[in-house]
């Protein structure tokens, strides 16, 4: 009995090569599954982080509004800060908005510098972007408080720089909107147009063009009814010319797969920009049918809140649309790639901080705006009008650029037979 047990203990364990391969394969499959689960969780965490950053941006917008309109009565400690000047005059109204904007800009720019080269989910920058919220909260509080200790001269210099940054933000936003319109057109009216998709595209084109025409008629009625409103009539009439030019070019036979849908959406967009520009005219303008009231009513409050929401949504949608600004859009995504560009996301939010500052102060660094108003004044009007014209120019260039490139290729001299032989 003991002899048999001893023989069993000394007998070598017999493992076939097939068993080793099966065990190794099981371990490999388990490792792959665990890695895929890790990447899935990291991607979801990163996608949720976008909304946290957007919420932070919204709260900072509301703080800027509070500092501009009500903080001088509510906050009594700020006058004791030397950089705020007598009675805190340099920390409220226009300068107060710029200080809040500067703090917001610094926070998102620090996030940009620390995440701009992030490529993979397992990198440390990915964890910094999606986690460490307590530390980032303290960082935000520190930069926001520190912005109120900066001398007035540097705040005014930042205001001048913010004008440029806000203009860059508007340019990025236009490219993002036009890329979305192009994608929508290609989705509903692809090259192999089915009858159903073509019918839907035609119906939507008609809806957008009818909306654009109605918008033009309403603007003529409310803002250009008198010959004294020459500037408004010019704005609206030039918008009509842009609509016609876009429609004609989009129907040209050499323009590939553009059609009426994209031009119809773009027409509605530039009509909205024209209307928004005219609405930004000062309240004392006789041709502004909807003048800003001196008292605050529910429509004024609702319009103000919608405007703040539009700022946040424009910043958020542009920030997550890094694909529109890539030179090579056919690169294959790998499993461990980040779902969106963190650096571009934070860069757009830092520029958005400059943009909301300009809207709150109506692009004017020397005068305070009225309470519950946003983006009102002649500077705001001209910024929006130029933005409208720039948007139409970018869209028209996207339509004719392939034709121009093709024409240049055909014009290049072809090599002779002797040159080819050499």
């Amino acid at each position: 009995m003991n002899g048999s047990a001893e023989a069993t203990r000394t007998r070598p364990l017999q493992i076939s090569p097939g068993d080793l391969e099966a065990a190794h394969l099981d371990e490999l499959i388990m490792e792959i599954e665990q890695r895929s689960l890790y990447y899935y969780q990291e991607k979801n965490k990163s996608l949720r982080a976008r909304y946290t950053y957007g919420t932070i941006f919204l709260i900072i917008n509301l703080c800027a509004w509070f500092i501009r309109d009500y903080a001088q009565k509510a906050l009594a400690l700020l006058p004791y800060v030397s950089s705020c000047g007598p009675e805190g005059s340099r920390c409220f109204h226009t300068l107060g908005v710029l200080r809040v904007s500067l703090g917001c800009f610094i926070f998102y720019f620090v996030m940009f510098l620390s995440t701009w080269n992030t490529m993979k989910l397992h990198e440390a920058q990915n964890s910094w972007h999606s986690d460490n919220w307590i530390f980032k909260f303290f960082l935000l509080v520190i930069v926001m408080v520190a912005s109120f200790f900066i001398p007035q001269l540097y705040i005014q210099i930042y205001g001048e720089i913010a004008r440029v940054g806000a203009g860059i933000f508007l340019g990025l936003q236009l490219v993002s909107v036009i890329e979305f319109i192009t994608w929508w057109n290609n989705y509903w009216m692809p090259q192999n147009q089915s009858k159903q998709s073509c019918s839907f595209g035609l119906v939507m084109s008609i809806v957008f063009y009818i909306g654009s025409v109605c918008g033009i008629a309403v603007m003529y009625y409310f803002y250009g009814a008198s010959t004294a409103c020459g500037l408004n009539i010019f704005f609206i009439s030039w918008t009509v010319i842009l609509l016609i030019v876009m429609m004609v070019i989009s129907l040209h036979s050499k323009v590939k797969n553009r059609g009426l849908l994209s031009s119809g959406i773009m027409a509605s967009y530039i009509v909205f920009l024209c209307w928004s520009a005219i609405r930004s005219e000062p309240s004392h303008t006789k041709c502004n049918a909807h003048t800003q009231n001196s008292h605050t009513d529910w429509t004024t409050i609702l319009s103000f809140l919608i405007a703040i929401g539009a700022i946040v949504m424009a910043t958020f949608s542009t920030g997550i649309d890094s694909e529109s600004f890539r030179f090579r859009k056919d690169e294959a995504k790998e499993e461990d790639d980040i779902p969106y560009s963190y650096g571009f996301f934070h860069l757009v939010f830092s520029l958005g901080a400059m943009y909301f500052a300009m809207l709150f102060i109506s692009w004017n660094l020397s005068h305070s705006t009225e309470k519950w108003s946003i983006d009102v004044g002649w500077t705001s009007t001209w910024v929006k009008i130029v933005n409208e014209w720039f948007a139409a120019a970018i869209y028209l260039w996207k339509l004719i650029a392939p034709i121009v490139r093709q024409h240049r290729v055909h014009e290049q001299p072809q090599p002779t037979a002797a040159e080819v032989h050499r």
Side-chain angles (χ1 to χ4, degrees):
M1 189 76 176
N2 294 335
S4 62
E6 184 69 24
T8 302
R9 283 196 297 267
T10 57
R11 185 184 304 160
L13 182 63
Q14 299 293 330
I15 301 177
S16 64
D19 294 336
L20 287 175
E21 292 179 0
H24 180 70
L25 182 60
D26 291 340
E27 292 178 359
L28 184 60
I29 293 175
M30 185 178 299
E31 182 181 353
I32 293 175
E33 290 178 350
Q34 291 176 351
R35 188 183 306 165
S36 298
L37 178 61
Y38 169 76
Y39 291 149
Y40 175 77
Q41 293 173 345
E42 288 298 314
K43 283 184 179 179
N44 283 343
K45 191 185 299 182
S46 173
L47 293 173
R48 290 194 299 267
R50 300 181 304 178
Y51 300 101
T52 305
Y53 288 113
T55 304
I56 293 173
F57 190 75
L58 172 61
I59 295 174
I60 294 176
N61 271 260
L62 295 176
C63 290
W65 157 71
F66 178 79
I67 291 292
R68 187 194 70 174
D69 291 349
Y70 295 102
Q72 192 166 13
K73 296 180 179 179
L75 301 180
L77 296 178
L78 285 180
Y80 296 98
V81 179
S82 60
S83 59
C84 289
E87 298 182 357
S89 59
R90 299 173 186 171
C91 288
F92 303 115
H93 306 301
T94 297
L95 291 176
V97 171
L98 290 176
R99 291 179 186 275
V100 174
S101 171
L102 177 59
C104 181
F105 169 79
I106 293 175
F107 172 74
Y108 283 104
F109 196 73
V110 168
M111 294 301 303
F112 160 70
L113 293 177
S114 58
T115 60
W116 70 274
N117 60 341
T118 310
M119 301 297 295
K120 302 296 181 180
L121 291 169
H122 55 76
E123 296 178 3
Q125 293 96 323
N126 176 73
S127 177
W128 164 243
H129 169 79
S130 305
D131 293 319
N132 304 344
W133 291 109
I134 296 178
F135 181 81
K136 284 184 285 192
F137 172 76
F138 282 110
L139 173 63
L140 177 62
V141 172
I142 289 173
V143 296
M144 294 296 292
V145 173
S147 65
F148 285 87
F149 290 87
I150 298 176
Q152 176 186 0
L153 175 62
Y154 297 104
I155 297 298
Q156 291 176 335
I157 294 175
Y158 168 75
E160 297 293 343
I161 298 174
R163 285 178 171 175
V164 180
I168 296 174
F169 175 84
L170 285 175
L172 295 177
Q173 183 186 2
L174 285 180
V175 173
S176 179
V177 169
I178 294 174
E179 285 293 328
F180 172 75
I181 292 174
T182 304
W183 171 85
W184 200 6
N185 178 76
N186 294 335
Y187 180 80
W188 287 111
M189 302 187 72
Q191 293 286 353
N192 51 347
Q193 292 180 356
S194 63
K195 189 174 181 179
Q196 182 179 0
S197 63
C198 186
S199 300
F200 178 83
L202 181 61
V203 170
M204 293 303 297
S205 303
I206 294 174
V207 169
F208 280 111
Y209 269 109
I210 290 177
S212 301
V213 172
C214 292
I216 292 293
V218 169
M219 285 193 294
Y220 269 124
Y221 179 79
F222 283 108
Y223 306 109
S226 172
T227 54
C229 306
L231 186 60
N232 288 350
I233 294 175
F234 167 72
F235 290 158
I236 302 170
S237 301
W238 187 248
T239 302
V240 174
I241 294 174
L242 292 176
L243 297 186
I244 296 174
V245 172
M246 288 191 302
M247 183 180 65
V248 171
I249 294 181
S250 64
L251 292 176
H252 197 278
S253 59
K254 293 185 178 180
V255 177
K256 298 180 180 180
N257 193 31
R258 297 304 179 193
L260 288 174
L261 181 57
S262 62
S263 61
I265 302 173
M266 195 65 197
S268 301
Y269 181 62
I270 66 171
V271 168
F272 167 77
L273 291 178
C274 181
W275 171 81
S276 180
I278 295 177
R279 286 272 300 183
S280 294
E281 292 177 355
S283 57
H284 56 77
T285 304
K286 297 180 180 179
C287 298
N288 193 338
H290 302 282
T291 57
Q292 304 290 332
N293 298 322
S294 58
H295 63 280
T296 303
D297 54 12
W298 69 270
T299 56
T300 304
I301 297 175
L302 181 61
S303 300
F304 180 81
L305 295 178
I306 291 175
I308 291 182
I311 297 171
V312 177
M313 286 303 300
T315 307
F316 182 83
S317 59
T318 306
I320 63 177
D321 188 27
S322 58
E323 295 293 327
S324 298
F325 303 91
R326 295 178 61 182
F327 293 103
R328 294 184 59 185
K329 301 181 182 181
D330 55 347
E331 297 179 357
K333 281 279 189 179
E334 298 181 2
E335 186 182 23
D336 59 343
D337 286 343
I338 58 176
Y340 56 94
S341 174
Y342 300 159
F344 181 80
F345 178 82
H346 292 295
L347 177 62
V348 170
F349 269 85
S350 63
L351 295 174
M354 297 180 173
Y355 178 64
F356 84 69
M358 291 299 104
L359 296 188
F360 274 114
I361 67 176
S362 298
W363 301 80
N364 196 326
L365 303 179
S366 57
H367 298 286
S368 299
T369 55
E370 298 179 0
K371 291 183 178 181
W372 293 100
S373 66
I374 187 169
D375 206 17
V376 175
W378 283 116
T379 305
S380 299
T381 298
W382 279 104
V383 167
K384 291 181 178 180
I385 284 294
V386 173
N387 191 35
E388 174 200 346
W389 297 344
F390 190 49
I394 293 177
Y395 177 74
L396 291 174
W397 172 248
K398 284 183 66 67
L399 291 180
I400 65 176
I403 303 175
V404 174
R405 295 193 192 102
Q406 187 178 8
H407 182 67
R408 288 178 179 176
V409 170
H410 289 318
E411 282 187 347
Q412 290 180 355
Q414 299 296 325
T416 62
E419 292 175 341
V420 172
H421 181 69
R422 291 198 194 105

